[in-house]
Amino acid sequence: MEEYNSGEEILFNSDEATAPIKECIEGVIGGTDYNQNKINQWTASIVERCLNHFVKQGRAFKYIVNCTIMQKSSAGLHTANSCYWDTATDGSCTVRWENRTMYCVVSVFAVAVA
Amino acid sequence: MSDLLKDRALKKEKKMGKDGRPKDSISTVSNVEDPLHHDDTRLPTENTYQLGPYKRHSVPVITEILKDVLTCYLQHETYEAEWSRQMTKTLCDVIRARVKELMIPRYKTVVIVNIGQLSGQGMQISSRCLWDATNDTFATYSFKNSSLFGLAIVYVVYFE
């Protein structure tokens, strides 16, 4: 029985993923204030940029990118996630970012294909 | 052990940027709660020659599960910080268990739950996925009462 091994490590590294996600966020909303009219395109750009970055790595993963932007007020927000997957190969990375007027939370989940 | 140290190191946030000027934005990273021992030896498995899933997830069924769970747990509650923190985790686990009960093989599940306070603030949540659209899908449900809102998202991903 032949074994097809591409030689690449199939393991999602969540530590390495935080820096590029932060850069994606800063690139889109760094230095801006909360704007109801633009928030739709902001979330779309952040999500697309993050996804493109991970896709360019060319690894055998399916990706789910989730972005939440909330205006700063006295309100509280809680987010949790629970995943049923193979912990040896799959992983997730969540980055929380804030500035003067808003919070941004981006989660990336990477699920190995085979 | 080293994973816990790494967690703590990542959670310490430097307020000053690299060039010494104070940053006006702060970012923090959170990691998984239990660093599990990874098994490095993967047993070779025999070929099954199966090209796709025999049974797929039904989106209305999952939506019904989400509606049931969120309404049942959140209907008569008011927002409190500590309670919400526990409730999001509880809801995640409950929803994951219910989706597992559907017993659809070869599918991985990701569940996300958001609970927030209603105080007239603006908010936008969006997501995008790179996957195989013929086999993978998602379901969402949002619930609102007078003091809080709850949002649940489930992604199901096929795995060979």
Side-chain angles (χ1 to χ4, degrees):
Chain A
M1 184 77 82
E2 283 174 39
E3 258 194 57
Y4 293 100
N5 193 353
S6 63
E8 264 176 40
E9 195 187 282
I10 309 289
L11 171 63
F12 182 68
N13 193 334
S14 53
D15 302 331
E16 281 177 9
T18 60
I21 299 178
K22 244 183 262 180
E23 278 170 30
C24 291
I25 303 177
E26 298 259 337
V28 177
I29 53 176
T32 57
D33 286 342
Y34 182 85
N35 185 340
Q36 182 66 28
N37 300 326
K38 293 202 189 151
I39 193 173
N40 211 349
Q41 77 194 55
W42 284 341
T43 48
S45 323
I46 291 174
V47 162
E48 262 196 66
R49 279 194 189 196
C50 283
L51 198 51
N52 283 331
H53 172 270
F54 286 106
V55 164
K56 276 184 207 158
Q57 290 178 351
R59 301 169 77 191
F61 280 104
K62 292 181 178 173
Y63 294 101
I64 297 166
V65 182
N66 196 36
C67 170
T68 304
I69 297 185
M70 185 171 91
Q71 189 179 22
K72 263 193 183 179
S73 67
S74 55
L77 172 71
H78 291 273
T79 303
N81 62 66
S82 168
C83 308
Y84 176 58
W85 59 25
D86 182 356
T87 50
T89 55
D90 308 327
S92 69
C93 175
T94 305
V95 175
R96 271 184 296 143
W97 182 96
E98 65 178 278
N99 71 3
R100 213 172 39 91
T101 52
M102 54 187 168
Y103 297 105
C104 177
V105 183
V106 175
S107 301
V108 176
F109 300 90
V111 178
V113 173
Chain B
M1 199 55 194
S2 57
D3 284 345
L4 286 172
L5 289 173
K6 257 195 259 169
D7 278 2
R8 270 188 239 132
L10 280 171
K11 278 179 187 162
K12 257 192 245 163
E13 190 49 48
K14 294 196 177 103
K15 291 265 165 94
M16 305 292 274
K18 278 199 181 137
D19 48 6
R21 276 183 277 126
K23 294 196 282 198
D24 60 347
S25 59
I26 310 167
S27 53
T28 48
V29 181
S30 32
N31 286 41
V32 296
E33 280 184 1
D34 334 290
L36 292 172
H37 167 65
H38 287 167
D39 198 354
D40 286 334
T41 53
R42 294 181 86 184
L43 294 170
T45 47
E46 202 181 294
N47 239 332
T48 62
Y49 300 99
Q50 183 178 340
L51 294 175
Y54 293 145
K55 203 165 79 162
R56 283 188 173 79
H57 272 102
S58 150
V59 173
V61 168
I62 303 181
T63 313
E64 196 53 45
I65 292 176
L66 298 180
K67 180 173 164 189
D68 189 34
V69 172
L70 284 180
T71 322
C72 178
Y73 278 80
L74 299 180
Q75 195 158 42
H76 302 295
E77 304 289 346
T78 46
Y79 181 86
E80 271 160 36
E82 199 48 50
W83 171 87
S84 298
R85 182 178 306 169
Q86 285 309 311
M87 189 48 74
T88 39
K89 293 188 208 166
T90 309
L91 284 176
C92 269
D93 291 332
V94 168
I95 293 172
R96 187 185 68 184
R98 294 275 296 260
V99 172
K100 265 175 86 172
E101 270 169 28
L102 296 175
M103 298 282 275
I104 298 186
R106 294 189 167 204
Y107 269 91
K108 293 178 177 175
T109 314
V110 177
V111 179
I112 301 176
V113 171
N114 291 324
I115 295 183
Q117 194 178 14
L118 288 176
S119 65
Q121 81 274 25
M123 184 170 191
Q124 176 88 7
I125 302 179
S126 47
S127 73
R128 201 156 295 197
C129 311
L130 177 80
W131 59 24
D132 181 359
T134 50
N135 295 329
D136 308 323
T137 186
F138 71 98
T140 73
Y141 185 76
S142 69
F143 168 85
K144 196 164 82 163
N145 72 11
S146 52
S147 68
L148 57 76
F149 71 89
L151 169 71
I153 311 171
V154 172
Y155 302 96
V156 284
V157 178
Y158 178 67
F159 174 73
E160 286 174 354

